[in-house]
Amino acid sequence: MEIRVDGRRISAFAGESLAVALAAEGILHLRASPQAGTPRGMFCMMGVCQECVIRVDGRAVNACQEPVRDGMTVISGTLK
Amino acid sequence: MTAQHWTDLLVLGAGPAGASAALAAAEHGMDVVLLDEAADAGGQVFRAPPKSFVVANGKRIDPDFHIGASLRDRLAASRVRKVFERRVWFVAPGFKVSTFGPEGLEFWTAKSVVVASGTYERVVPMPGWTLPGVIGLGAATILLKSQQALPGETTVVAGCGPLVAAVAVGILKAGGKVGAVIDAASPGDWARALPSMAVRPDLLLRGLGWVGRIRLAGVPLLFRHAVVEVRGGDSVTEIMARPVDNQWRPRWDVPARAFQCDALAIGHGLVPAVELTRLLGAEHEFAAERGGWVPKVDEDCRTSEPCLYAAGDCTGISGAAPALLQGRLAGLTAALDDDRMAPEAFAQETSALRRKLQRARTFGAASARLMTPSPGLLDTVTPDTVVCRCEDVTRREIEAAFEAGAADLNQVKAWTRCGMGPCQGRMCGDTAAALAALRLGGREAVGPWTARTPIRPVPMETLIGEYDYEDIPKPAPARR
């Protein structure tokens, strides 16, 4: 299946987590830290640390907890 | 309209403890709702692969794969109401619980509750640990087991406890490259744990096999070392390791060794997730060797609050095998207290269970001790190291709060914002408390953060639902 990330099309396996699909494409920088704005990426993989918060189809989600869906639109690195 | 549900027993968490508790209580006629954030039961250790993944040979993924699979099969065949992909964001005494998930906001009311909320990971910070590419050891386990993915092309695996070797071997088995294995413990620390671990020769041999496999692969294996710095621009490119002394204090007098890598999997044990039991009013105690603050439970898993039970690693780190048994005990106790079981039947059914639990705990306690970091490791947290990832609070700022007179952990939080971000102090809480304990004389004196709702960040649109400005009753403007 295919998802759209920052305007780019990337392929992904059905059911895998969005964080993993992005990492496979070398997209590690998922959010900016709220105060200093430094790059952050997936860290705990269990929906606790909130470091992988990302915008998917307009919603803020934990990339590690979000299974990829065909055609989902993802914007990385903008949420805090 | 927000959905309201009622049940006899609400089980929070569908890992080994929660799933077993739900099954046991349902066997004795209770109406049970089993809630979890994940898409299926299993928790972190027995996490189910995504439903669209085809698993030809589960044993290749994980020798314990069948335990999780059989747990899920038994749940499927049971009367337990399985409610997954729900995040608990609110709990209140009298047992009102609210979740959000695919059905939006839901409310659950129950006569009794079993909390089986498990743990989260402890990572003692070091400069650069916030860089993308640094993940927890537990996170690496989830990547390998559930997602069939590697943390990076070359991963350095570091920290303490059995997960270090387990993750390194998991990466090697999956065909990945391990740059180095860096363990804060010494071979002597491991040797001291062996007698207690011998109660589970199967697991002990598995562990020894791991070390052999790491050596065989030619991976540098550094005992009594710690990662003291992570380097990179937008993500990890290199880590620096130093020897540590017997208190795990880095030896700054010895030159550091650099290892190139694009991922670092690091962890220093696990911390019980106790926000639910705390919000529900149960009494807690501090037990360093079991991971931190834990609810006080009696031998039947009762907390200090009536009809509130707790089981599994949220009552103290012990591992998945004891959690399966303790969960069952909690479920049976809930059934007993709800008059679904005669005391004689309860005594009969639990006597063998208690013996097995005792044995499983001996092993669990030994591995929990190996996971507990020695206090000297806090020296890797240099003044400029970020402690609170959410709010970018450094150790320097935390120390300044103590200089200014902060007398407990909640004051540090109020003054510095450490622990106030979206993870709500779960990632920094243990480190902040350990730093405070150095100044204030022990973890009991420091106390834990006050547990607060929302337990998970909940989107505002979920809370207000379809409610719009037009729906607000507005009084007519006053006449002049």
Side-chain angles (χ1 to χ4, degrees):
Chain A
M1 65 171 63
E2 228 176 37
I3 63 174
R4 191 185 272 274
V5 184
D6 303 329
R8 205 172 118 195
R9 287 173 193 283
I10 70 169
S11 54
F13 294 112
E16 73 177 335
S17 111
L18 175 58
V20 172
L22 294 174
E25 286 291 314
I27 303 168
L28 298 178
H29 177 175
L30 303 183
R31 80 157 174 175
S33 72
Q35 294 300 319
T38 59
R40 298 295 165 83
M42 64 174 173
F43 182 67
C44 78
M45 276 304 288
M46 49 175 93
V48 175
C49 76
Q50 310 298 323
E51 293 279 39
C52 66
V53 168
I54 196 165
R55 202 169 276 286
V56 174
D57 298 331
R59 291 176 309 128
V61 303
N62 291 129
C64 72
Q65 300 289 291
E66 192 75 6
V68 292
R69 289 182 312 274
D70 200 27
M72 76 192 328
T73 302
V74 181
I75 300 169
S76 77
T78 58
L79 288 173
K80 289 189 166 183
Chain B
M1 181 61 202
T2 307
Q4 307 271 349
H5 307 276
W6 197 92
T7 184
D8 294 331
L9 178 67
L10 198 53
V11 180
L12 304 178
S20 303
L23 283 166
E27 275 169 30
H28 291 277
M30 289 185 97
D31 179 54
V32 182
V33 169
L34 177 63
L35 289 176
D36 199 278
E37 294 186 341
D40 210 337
Q44 306 304 342
V45 173
F46 303 126
R47 182 179 275 256
K51 289 205 166 81
S52 47
F53 282 25
V54 179
V55 179
N57 179 0
K59 239 186 154 83
R60 272 196 61 199
I61 299 174
D62 173 10
D64 293 333
F65 186 86
H66 67 281
I67 302 178
S70 110
L71 206 57
R72 287 185 281 276
D73 288 347
R74 285 164 57 211
L75 278 170
S78 76
R79 293 176 43 240
V80 173
R81 290 196 266 160
K82 297 145 289 267
V83 186
F84 298 135
E85 298 180 304
R86 300 300 199 282
R87 299 190 149 210
V88 173
W89 69 275
F90 172 88
V91 293
F95 305 138
K96 293 191 190 333
V97 170
S98 182
T99 58
F100 66 100
E103 306 291 318
L105 200 62
E106 289 169 280
F107 284 89
W108 310 82
T109 309
K111 279 198 283 183
S112 348
V113 167
V114 174
V115 174
S117 45
T119 73
Y120 32 83
E121 201 156 15
R122 178 196 293 113
V123 181
V124 179
M126 74 281 321
W129 75 305
T130 56
L131 279 172
V134 179
I135 63 170
L137 287 177
T141 311
I142 294 168
L143 284 180
L144 290 163
K145 283 192 186 179
S146 159
Q147 295 283 318
Q148 300 294 297
L150 291 165
E153 275 179 32
T154 304
T155 308
V156 168
V157 186
C160 57
L163 270 182
V164 175
V167 166
V169 167
I171 292 170
L172 293 173
K173 274 191 187 169
K177 203 173 156 214
V178 177
V181 175
I182 300 169
D183 191 337
S186 68
D189 295 333
W190 283 98
R192 270 188 291 282
L194 292 183
S196 318
M197 292 189 149
V199 296
R200 284 294 304 273
D202 53 333
L203 294 183
L204 182 59
L205 282 175
R206 197 189 287 174
L208 293 173
W210 287 340
V211 177
R213 186 138 188 172
I214 293 165
R215 293 248 190 243
L216 203 67
V219 174
L221 176 55
L222 285 70
F223 284 110
R224 197 151 268 190
H225 274 68
V227 174
V228 294
E229 190 184 348
V230 183
R231 294 177 173 175
D234 272 350
S235 63
V236 185
T237 53
E238 183 181 60
I239 64 101
M240 307 298 287
R242 282 182 189 275
V244 295
D245 67 14
N246 58 5
Q247 287 296 303
W248 297 9
R249 218 171 272 113
R251 295 202 29 209
W252 305 106
D253 55 322
V254 179
R257 278 177 73 178
F259 292 94
Q260 314 290 316
C261 57
D262 62 345
L264 168 66
I266 188 164
H268 305 101
L270 304 168
V271 180
V274 296
E275 52 273 8
L276 297 174
T277 43
R278 291 188 55 220
L279 280 164
L280 290 171
E283 284 174 27
H284 287 67
E285 60 190 339
F286 186 77
E289 74 290 353
R290 287 191 284 145
W293 289 93
V294 289
K296 291 183 184 170
V297 291
D298 72 6
E299 57 173 18
D300 297 329
C301 304
R302 292 183 191 91
T303 70
S304 62
E305 284 294 298
C307 301
L308 177 64
Y309 311 87
D313 276 355
C314 72
T315 65
I317 306 304
S318 194
L324 281 165
L325 302 165
Q326 200 194 5
R328 179 160 181 83
L329 183 57
L332 293 173
T333 306
L336 171 76
D337 293 353
D338 198 43
D339 295 328
R340 309 290 178 129
M341 257 185 117
E344 302 74 37
F346 177 78
Q348 197 179 359
E349 200 162 333
T350 55
S351 69
L353 191 59
R354 287 178 208 279
R355 275 197 304 279
K356 279 195 219 162
L357 180 58
Q358 191 62 37
R359 203 174 155 80
R361 273 184 174 154
T362 309
F363 185 90
S367 32
R369 270 194 299 279
L370 284 166
M371 283 188 191
T372 310
S374 285
L377 194 63
L378 277 179
D379 283 10
T380 62
V381 193
T382 60
D384 290 321
T385 302
V386 167
V387 172
C388 169
R389 300 171 66 101
C390 295
E391 296 285 334
D392 287 300
V393 182
T394 62
R395 177 170 185 175
R396 190 190 309 282
E397 291 166 81
I398 293 169
E399 300 289 355
F402 293 126
E403 295 292 339
D408 69 26
L409 202 55
N410 285 308
Q411 275 183 336
V412 174
K413 179 176 173 178
W415 294 2
T416 64
R417 294 193 62 81
C418 179
M420 236 184 245
C423 91
Q424 293 187 300
R426 290 185 181 91
M427 294 294 116
C428 64
D430 194 74
T431 305
L435 291 173
L438 293 178
R439 300 246 185 185
L440 304 171
R443 291 288 294 265
E444 283 86 352
V446 170
W449 314 117
T450 304
R452 300 248 186 238
T453 302
I455 298 155
R456 288 279 190 270
V458 48
M460 193 56 86
E461 64 260 32
T462 305
L463 287 186
I464 55 180
E466 304 290 303
Y467 204 75
D468 209 348
Y469 179 76
E470 301 303 321
D471 301 322
I472 303 171
K474 288 176 279 286
R479 280 194 202 151
R480 272 198 256 202

